[in-house]
Amino acid sequence: MLKEISKDNPAVLADYLQSRAQEISADILLKVTEILNDVRTNQDEACKKYTKQFDHQDIETFKVSPEELDAAIQQCDPAFCDAMRQAKKNIEYFHRAQVRQSYILQKEKGIYLGQRVLPLDSVGIYVPGGRAQYPSSVLMNAIPAHVAGVKRIVMVTPPDENGSIHPNIAFAAQLAGVTEIYKIGGAQAIAALAYGTQQIPAVDKIVGPGNIFVAAAKKLVYGKVDIDMIAGPSEILVVADEKANPRHAAADLLSQAEHDPMASAILLTTSRTVLDAVNDELKKQSVKLPKREIVEQSLANYGKAIVCDSIEECIHFANEIAPEHLELMIEDPMKYLGQVRHAGSVFMGYYTCESIGDYFGGTNHVLPTSGTARFSSALGVDSFIKTSCFLHYTEEALQAYGPQIMTMAKEEHLDAHANAVKVRMENE
Amino acid sequence: MLKEISKDNPAVLADYLQSRAQEISADILLKVTEILNDVRTNQDEACKKYTKQFDHQDIETFKVSPEELDAAIQQCDPAFCDAMRQAKKNIEYFHRAQVRQSYILQKEKGIYLGQRVLPLDSVGIYVPGGRAQYPSSVLMNAIPAHVAGVKRIVMVTPPDENGSIHPNIAFAAQLAGVTEIYKIGGAQAIAALAYGTQQIPAVDKIVGPGNIFVAAAKKLVYGKVDIDMIAGPSEILVVADEKANPRHAAADLLSQAEHDPMASAILLTTSRTVLDAVNDELKKQSVKLPKREIVEQSLANYGKAIVCDSIEECIHFANEIAPEHLELMIEDPMKYLGQVRHAGSVFMGYYTCESIGDYFGGTNHVLPTSGTARFSSALGVDSFIKTSCFLHYTEEALQAYGPQIMTMAKEEHLDAHANAVKVRMENE
């Protein structure tokens, strides 16, 4: 059941969304700092120790060999592999359009300046282990890096109870262009990627989801390397008009709720009839779900609804909330897209359920949570490039503009800055 | 004097650069957390209290009125204003080329998907007070925000000993398109921008340099709002061939050294004669500088040089260091630019001293420091936009690809994800 919030009190919604962000305790930070320092100093030896301690595996060689990779991939379901191949094509197609060009501007007196777009040299992708395995996440993280032109795309993932990696993860990695795979997880994997060890060379950026220890480690190594945003619990916001199918809307809300008892599912609708019918459907559908317990907790905690006077009003509240996923289950979604200012990803119309985008459509599923869609973006090619600018002045240009530059420098009392111009103007 | 490092031991360089990054002590974090919480709860009242305590000013109205702004601007030197106007044109020209377009891709069966590029709603620019005033920083932070299309561009700066703002800062703000100015500084200003007060509405992102309290406050509010990178001490790396003028090279190294005793100035050259001559020039020129003490400390601490066998080798070491500013004082800089993989901004040829870019050329002067040019970029239009993706599937497309999506969802044991597709395929 979705708890109804009066549209006269929408601040309640925004507040509770932000309150769901994960806090990392001092205890965990301390523990993780120890692991980071240990790996920094003792490298592979420390990695082996923690892999034994946390994953109960004796690993001598972290790198997955080509034979091991092939053997794992042999075990994958061919239908799954076909679906993944098509998903890869779609994801690549969408992300290729994000590729940007360097530019150069040529001006008077031989001046030129510009900006180069350069791929990062290397990135590390963290892929969680355990029973939950998400090969789709491997595609969403590795394909944009590959499209950006990153040469070293490293994947780390904890070994399972046989000291192996999951076949689906192995297949996804090969499909997405991962260049090296290491069987290591937890904070020790993040430390290895940040500082490098004898077996695991360091990378420039670390991306991918993980548990609270992984999140803490990423926060702590940020600065030494870059990281992606640390994701909070997942969110869906469905805007439904009176023609929306309540069964579909309910199924979509449940698809978010099954992730996590902290996940949030919100319905904004112009129709009380739709709201009531969605609530009926939630009851009916949730009992049939394997993750029923999680779903019920999540809906009880964070299932909300607002009945609005108009689609415009629904979108106004959606903008206040800035959801990770926004479904527009309305008749003419393109008419309203321009009003949507803050949303990680928008699913348009009655037939675009969020799961299409989670797996297959091509847009990225690594999205800003907890209201951060106000100022941040999905993972994409931009996440794996950097820009570097350049500037060229000739002697003629320096003579022409030098006096203005010196005026500005002197006004800031930076005489040495002015002097660098002066010695050239005087050609001393 | 630059301390020579053997080219057989370049790791020394990279290590010491990273070691210069500012650490924020637990003491400061605690103190700043208190201020943040106080402002969050008590809003303007707390802001007034801290402004009294730290800036010794009784401020009732933080917002600078149009009359106050005009009166301040009247005091500016007209030559300075002219130089600033030309600098603004150049900066705007460079940054306009960074503006990106939204895109849409149309596919089979009525599928379409794309990415919208949206400006942030609002940003706050921190501008330090005190004796050092840097109007050029106002241009470098505000112009890209303006070009990106940000509607609210807020500036905060501490009141001076008369309760006013510096005329040059006022002029720069007006010129660059700042929409609101508040006389408030320190951690309390960052808190006001992040949480909002009665007089100061909150923003979505905070940028701009500040002291250690401002840096700590920015770190702590990150997540609630976005922030720019927290800059470390400034760096220049000059690559000089045997034809480079040692007087010019020395002047450029000094222009960086005058910023801060922690600033770093490095010379990589193919000519020992040039190195010796640069050292002579450093001695000669530094004694004439008003900031001689700072310069001498900075050079003693962080002035380094390597004599290399070739320009390629110089650039190899430059890539290892990933400097904020890289000057290529060499004969054919464009020939070598492609080899430069990591540098915030590159200054090409004998006549492009860094100070041209600091003030006037058009490229941004807010650049990655401490080796972070390996993975991050200059401030620019990208810093003030976000992207939001969208996806549309028709019923026909869902029927065609639904089975593949369900296969992927089931392989991840996310049955509710599969179910959202199923209810639509069955059109229940």
Side-chain angles (χ1 to χ4, degrees):
Chain A
M1 286 282 288
L2 303 173
K3 194 181 162 195
E4 194 176 341
I5 293 176
S6 157
K7 73 190 179 68
D8 302 323
N9 198 8
V12 176
L13 266 178
D15 277 0
Y16 103 88
L17 275 176
Q18 284 188 3
S19 71
R20 291 181 317 121
Q22 280 183 313
E23 281 286 327
I24 300 176
S25 72
D27 253 20
I28 288 178
L29 286 175
L30 210 68
K31 206 164 180 171
V32 168
T33 303
E34 241 172 66
I35 296 174
L36 296 180
N37 289 339
D38 196 358
V39 173
R40 193 173 193 171
T41 311
N42 301 308
Q43 306 190 43
D44 284 339
E45 195 194 319
C47 290
K48 288 174 193 173
K49 184 179 78 185
Y50 293 115
T51 302
K52 178 76 182 163
Q53 184 178 335
F54 299 123
D55 303 309
H56 315 294
Q57 296 296 317
D58 287 303
I59 304 278
E60 270 309 309
T61 307
F62 290 106
K63 193 166 184 172
V64 173
S65 70
E67 297 72 33
E68 197 178 349
L69 189 67
D70 285 345
I73 290 172
Q74 294 304 319
Q75 301 169 52
C76 293
D77 171 12
F80 165 74
C81 294
D82 280 347
M84 287 282 283
R85 283 191 197 97
Q86 187 57 50
K88 182 218 168 180
K89 270 188 206 162
N90 295 344
I91 297 165
E92 207 169 63
Y93 178 74
F94 175 76
H95 287 85
R96 280 206 190 286
Q98 294 178 345
V99 173
R100 296 153 66 189
Q101 302 304 319
S102 300
Y103 67 82
I104 182 165
L105 306 169
Q106 294 186 302
K107 299 180 72 174
E108 76 281 3
K109 301 181 202 302
I111 294 171
Y112 63 81
L113 70 170
Q115 177 178 272
R116 293 186 303 149
V117 176
L118 302 167
L120 303 190
D121 284 356
S122 55
V123 300
I125 300 172
Y126 189 89
V127 176
R131 266 164 305 168
Q133 43 88 20
Y134 300 116
S136 62
S137 273
V138 178
L139 301 187
M140 294 294 180
N141 281 281
I143 292 172
H146 189 73
V147 170
V150 176
K151 291 234 165 57
R152 274 189 74 219
I153 305 177
V154 177
M155 185 175 99
V156 292
T157 191
D160 65 17
E161 64 277 13
N162 307 313
S164 314
I165 67 164
H166 195 288
N168 290 354
I169 297 296
F171 177 72
Q174 195 185 56
L175 186 65
V178 167
T179 57
E180 297 155 45
I181 307 174
Y182 298 94
K183 287 182 285 187
I184 182 170
Q188 61 274 21
I190 302 300
L193 290 175
Y195 304 119
T197 72
Q198 295 94 341
Q199 291 189 26
I200 308 169
V203 298
D204 292 324
K205 179 166 186 166
I206 303 173
V207 300
N211 63 20
I212 190 85
F213 292 93
V214 171
K218 279 168 67 180
K219 265 194 190 240
L220 289 166
V221 298
Y222 175 57
K224 172 73 178 78
V225 297
D226 196 13
I227 61 167
D228 57 353
M229 254 212 165
I230 301 203
S234 203
E235 304 150 5
I236 190 169
L237 192 155
V238 176
V239 172
D241 64 15
E242 64 284 353
K243 291 188 188 162
N245 186 325
R247 185 172 302 218
H248 300 178
D252 297 357
L253 293 165
L254 289 167
S255 77
Q256 201 54 235
E258 79 172 332
H259 272 300
D260 184 346
M262 296 284 284
S264 151
I266 299 175
L267 175 69
L268 305 183
T269 179
T270 49
S271 159
R272 181 162 300 279
T273 317
V274 166
L275 170 55
D276 293 341
V278 167
N279 273 327
D280 287 346
E281 279 291 331
L282 287 173
K283 262 186 252 170
K284 267 193 239 168
Q285 293 182 32
S286 59
V287 294
K288 296 184 210 155
L289 289 172
K291 293 188 201 275
R292 176 181 178 176
E293 257 181 67
I294 295 175
V295 160
E296 286 176 352
Q297 275 183 63
S298 158
L299 288 182
N301 292 332
Y302 299 110
K304 311 279 173 183
I306 307 180
V307 177
C308 298
D309 291 336
S310 64
I311 298 298
E312 282 82 357
E313 197 176 61
C314 291
I315 291 181
H316 166 76
F317 289 137
N319 281 330
E320 293 289 310
I321 293 163
E324 183 188 14
H325 304 99
L326 172 63
E327 285 190 0
L328 298 179
M329 292 187 67
I330 58 177
E331 202 162 18
D332 187 359
M334 199 42 109
K335 180 174 164 193
Y336 293 95
L337 184 62
Q339 291 176 34
V340 175
R341 294 204 323 281
H342 311 304
S345 195
V346 185
F347 301 84
M348 312 274 288
Y350 300 123
Y351 282 90
T352 317
C353 48
E354 189 208 303
S355 41
I356 302 175
D358 288 340
Y359 291 111
F360 193 83
T363 51
N364 207 292
H365 80 197
V366 182
L367 298 166
T369 56
S370 308
T372 58
R374 282 191 294 110
F375 51 74
S376 52
S377 310
L379 195 79
V381 172
D382 281 349
S383 314
F384 300 104
I385 60 106
K386 66 193 176 195
T387 61
S388 174
C389 41
F390 59 92
L391 175 66
H392 175 258
Y393 263 49
T394 55
E395 185 178 0
E396 186 194 357
L398 186 94
Q399 292 290 354
Y401 303 115
Q404 293 193 300
I405 299 164
M406 289 172 67
T407 298
M408 289 179 72
K410 282 181 180 161
E411 203 69 25
E412 293 188 357
H413 306 297
L414 292 174
D415 292 72
H417 282 62
N419 199 51
V421 174
K422 185 162 168 277
V423 293
R424 283 173 172 83
M425 286 186 69
E426 293 171 354
N427 224 345
E428 278 175 349
Chain B
M1 283 284 286
L2 304 174
K3 192 180 164 199
E4 193 176 342
I5 293 178
S6 157
K7 75 189 177 66
D8 302 322
N9 197 10
V12 177
L13 265 179
D15 278 359
Y16 103 88
L17 275 176
Q18 285 188 2
S19 72
R20 291 182 315 122
Q22 279 183 314
E23 280 288 326
I24 300 176
S25 72
D27 253 21
I28 288 178
L29 286 174
L30 209 69
K31 207 165 181 170
V32 169
T33 302
E34 241 173 65
I35 297 174
L36 295 180
N37 289 338
D38 195 359
V39 172
R40 192 172 193 171
T41 310
N42 300 308
Q43 304 188 44
D44 284 339
E45 195 193 318
C47 289
K48 287 174 193 173
K49 185 179 78 184
Y50 292 116
T51 302
K52 178 79 182 162
Q53 185 178 333
F54 298 124
D55 302 310
H56 316 293
Q57 296 297 316
D58 287 301
I59 304 279
E60 268 310 308
T61 307
F62 290 106
K63 195 167 183 171
V64 173
S65 71
E67 297 74 31
E68 197 177 349
L69 189 67
D70 284 345
I73 290 171
Q74 294 305 318
Q75 300 169 53
C76 293
D77 171 10
F80 166 73
C81 294
D82 280 347
M84 286 283 281
R85 282 190 200 98
Q86 186 58 49
K88 182 218 169 183
K89 270 188 208 164
N90 294 346
I91 297 165
E92 208 169 62
Y93 177 74
F94 175 75
H95 286 85
R96 279 205 191 286
Q98 295 178 344
V99 173
R100 294 153 67 188
Q101 302 304 319
S102 300
Y103 68 82
I104 182 166
L105 307 169
Q106 295 185 303
K107 300 181 71 176
E108 75 284 2
K109 301 178 203 301
I111 295 171
Y112 63 79
L113 70 171
Q115 177 178 272
R116 294 187 302 148
V117 176
L118 302 166
L120 302 190
D121 284 355
S122 55
V123 300
I125 300 171
Y126 189 89
V127 177
R131 265 164 307 169
Q133 42 88 23
Y134 300 115
S136 62
S137 273
V138 178
L139 301 187
M140 294 294 179
N141 281 280
I143 291 172
H146 189 73
V147 170
V150 176
K151 292 233 163 56
R152 276 188 72 219
I153 304 177
V154 177
M155 185 175 98
V156 292
T157 190
D160 66 16
E161 64 277 12
N162 307 313
S164 317
I165 67 165
H166 194 287
N168 289 355
I169 296 296
F171 176 73
Q174 196 185 56
L175 185 66
V178 168
T179 57
E180 299 155 45
I181 307 174
Y182 298 94
K183 287 182 285 189
I184 182 170
Q188 61 274 22
I190 302 301
L193 290 174
Y195 304 119
T197 71
Q198 295 95 341
Q199 291 189 27
I200 308 170
V203 299
D204 292 325
K205 180 164 185 167
I206 303 173
V207 299
N211 63 20
I212 191 86
F213 292 94
V214 170
K218 280 170 66 180
K219 264 192 189 241
L220 289 165
V221 299
Y222 175 57
K224 172 74 178 80
V225 298
D226 197 14
I227 61 167
D228 57 353
M229 252 212 165
I230 301 202
S234 203
E235 304 148 7
I236 190 170
L237 192 156
V238 176
V239 171
D241 64 15
E242 64 284 355
K243 292 188 186 162
N245 186 325
R247 184 172 302 218
H248 299 179
D252 298 355
L253 293 165
L254 289 167
S255 77
Q256 202 52 235
E258 80 172 330
H259 272 300
D260 186 343
M262 295 282 287
S264 151
I266 298 173
L267 175 70
L268 305 183
T269 179
T270 48
S271 159
R272 180 162 302 278
T273 317
V274 166
L275 171 56
D276 292 340
V278 167
N279 273 328
D280 286 346
E281 279 292 329
L282 287 173
K283 263 186 251 171
K284 268 193 237 166
Q285 293 182 31
S286 59
V287 295
K288 298 184 209 154
L289 289 173
K291 294 189 200 276
R292 174 181 178 176
E293 256 180 67
I294 294 175
V295 160
E296 286 176 351
Q297 274 182 64
S298 159
L299 287 182
N301 291 331
Y302 299 111
K304 311 278 172 182
I306 306 180
V307 177
C308 299
D309 291 336
S310 64
I311 298 299
E312 283 81 358
E313 195 175 62
C314 291
I315 292 182
H316 165 77
F317 290 137
N319 282 329
E320 293 289 310
I321 293 163
E324 182 188 15
H325 304 98
L326 172 63
E327 286 190 0
L328 297 180
M329 294 187 66
I330 58 178
E331 201 160 19
D332 187 0
M334 198 44 106
K335 179 175 165 191
Y336 294 95
L337 184 62
Q339 292 176 34
V340 175
R341 293 202 327 280
H342 312 302
S345 196
V346 184
F347 301 84
M348 312 273 290
Y350 300 122
Y351 283 90
T352 318
C353 48
E354 189 208 304
S355 42
I356 302 177
D358 289 340
Y359 291 111
F360 192 83
T363 51
N364 207 292
H365 79 199
V366 182
L367 297 166
T369 56
S370 309
T372 58
R374 280 190 298 111
F375 51 76
S376 53
S377 310
L379 195 80
V381 172
D382 281 349
S383 314
F384 299 104
I385 60 107
K386 66 192 176 199
T387 61
S388 175
C389 41
F390 59 92
L391 176 65
H392 175 259
Y393 264 48
T394 55
E395 187 180 358
E396 186 196 356
L398 187 93
Q399 293 290 354
Y401 302 116
Q404 293 194 301
I405 299 163
M406 290 172 67
T407 298
M408 289 178 73
K410 283 181 180 162
E411 204 68 28
E412 292 189 357
H413 306 296
L414 292 174
D415 291 73
H417 281 63
N419 199 51
V421 173
K422 185 163 168 275
V423 295
R424 283 173 171 86
M425 286 186 68
E426 293 170 354
N427 223 348
E428 280 175 350

